[in-house]
């Protein structure tokens, strides 16, 4: 597959030469939360055909943004992980997510898919560092049956797939309720009261949770 180029000696154009093709940046989004097997990427990127997925992964490998690794036992399978150069795209992806939460989300379209694992980066995108100052806690989240966790350490966050070891607080929520939270049609308190969500664990950690993640109010672009 021939790689297209803007043919401009400009850092922005050169970057878009590398990651501007359709699906490429979403692949990087998936790998920012840890190594993924080919099948994992197929599951979370529905609509991306097998051939095009292979081509995009080969492109990332060729350009030094991703590489193959072997997941240690018991899995012992091949997976894809970002290189140092790929990891450094993280702040740019989070900046796009923050912009999207403010200017692009709106109502979910009937044709749009949603994967609970995308919430891992979402937590980082709407994390309030000032509110988290002085807090040291681990939160485990479960959207339907998919677990992930966030480690808060004095204004910093590390969010990862999978359950936490000895979480200070555990939050369980249905996918539908989580989508309503994201669309700001439901508050977390309302989700708890309606039974669509539950929370357990350390009282102080739960009290601090409310202000840790702040969604920007939606804005209209047509002004």
């Amino acid at each position: 597959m021939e790689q297209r180029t803007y043919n401009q000696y400009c850092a922005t154009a050169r970057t878009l030469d590398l990651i501007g093709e359709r699906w490429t940046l979403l692949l990087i989004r998936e790998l920012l939360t840890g190594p993924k097997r080919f099948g994992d990427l197929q599951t979370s990127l529905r609509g991306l055909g097998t051939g095009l997925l292979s081509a995009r992964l080969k492109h990332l490998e060729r350009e030094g943004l991703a590489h193959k690794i072997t997941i240690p036992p018991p899995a012992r399978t091949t997976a894809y992980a970002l290189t140092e150069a790929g990891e450094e795209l993280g702040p740019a992806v989070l900046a796009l997510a923050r912009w999207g939460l403010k200017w692009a989300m709106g109502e979910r379209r009937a044709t749009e898919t949603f994967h609970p694992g995308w919430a891992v980066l979402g937590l980082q995108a709407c994390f309030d560092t000032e509110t988290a100052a002085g807090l040291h806690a681990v939160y485990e989240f479960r959207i339907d049956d998919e677990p992930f966790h966030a480690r808060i350490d004095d204004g910093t966050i590390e969010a990862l797939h999978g359950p936490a070891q000895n979480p200070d607080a555990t939050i369980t929520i249905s996918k539908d309720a989580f989508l309503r939270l994201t669309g700001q049609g439901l508050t977390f308190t309302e989700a708890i009261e309606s039974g669509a969500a539950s929370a357990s664990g350390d009282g102080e950690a739960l009290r601090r949770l409310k202000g840790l993640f702040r969604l920007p109010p939606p804005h209209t672009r047509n002004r």
Side-chain angles (χ1 to χ4, degrees), residues 111-141:
T111 56
E112 289 181 323
T113 61
F114 171 74
H115 191 274
W118 297 339
V120 176
L121 277 185
L123 289 179
Q124 297 179 59
C126 60
F127 179 63
D128 189 319
T129 58
E130 292 185 3
T131 302
L135 176 64
H136 304 274
V138 177
Y139 296 89
E140 180 173 298
F141 300 88

Side-chain angles (χ1 to χ4, degrees), residues 5-219:
T5 176
Y6 288 102
N7 284 318
Q8 294 182 8
Y9 189 59
C10 159
T12 302
R14 283 284 187 94
T15 302
L16 290 175
D17 283 346
L18 295 176
I19 63 171
E21 291 281 3
R22 190 165 183 257
W23 294 106
T24 303
L25 199 56
L26 292 184
L27 268 174
I28 291 170
R29 177 198 69 187
E30 295 300 311
L31 297 177
L32 279 170
T33 56
K36 302 290 188 303
R37 296 170 296 186
F38 191 91
D40 298 329
L41 295 169
Q42 281 185 308
T43 298
S44 57
L45 295 174
R46 294 174 185 173
L48 174 57
T50 301
L52 186 55
L53 174 57
S54 296
R56 291 290 183 261
L57 287 169
K58 288 178 182 177
H59 167 77
L60 291 178
E61 287 186 272
R62 183 172 61 250
E63 297 297 344
L65 298 175
H67 61 126
K68 290 178 183 174
I69 65 169
T70 299
I71 297 177
R76 203 185 294 276
T77 58
T78 299
Y80 294 86
L82 292 176
T83 62
E84 180 183 0
E87 291 282 357
E88 286 196 10
L89 286 165
V93 174
L94 288 176
L96 285 172
R98 293 186 190 100
W99 186 92
L101 287 169
K102 181 177 179 179
W103 293 103
M105 285 297 282
E107 294 291 331
R108 182 186 178 191
R109 304 182 186 112
T111 56
E112 289 181 323
T113 61
F114 171 74
H115 191 274
W118 297 339
V120 176
L121 277 185
L123 289 179
Q124 297 179 59
C126 60
F127 179 63
D128 189 319
T129 58
E130 292 185 3
T131 302
L135 176 64
H136 304 274
V138 177
Y139 296 89
E140 180 173 298
F141 300 88
R142 291 183 173 273
I143 300 179
D144 286 348
D145 294 325
E146 182 153 348
F148 52 96
H149 65 278
R151 185 179 302 277
I152 313 299
D153 187 14
D154 192 18
T156 65
I157 181 173
E158 180 186 29
L160 298 169
H161 289 282
Q165 291 186 350
N166 303 315
D168 296 288
T170 301
I171 296 88
T172 302
I173 188 169
S174 69
K175 184 171 74 171
D176 289 342
F178 180 81
L179 287 169
R180 290 178 63 198
L181 280 176
T182 303
Q184 303 190 45
L186 180 72
T187 67
F188 185 63
T189 299
E190 290 170 341
I192 294 286
E193 291 175 347
S194 68
S198 63
S200 61
D202 179 75
E204 177 64 12
L206 290 171
R207 186 187 68 79
R208 296 286 297 271
L209 174 65
K210 184 177 180 181
L212 288 180
F213 306 101
R214 296 184 183 276
L215 289 168
H219 286 58

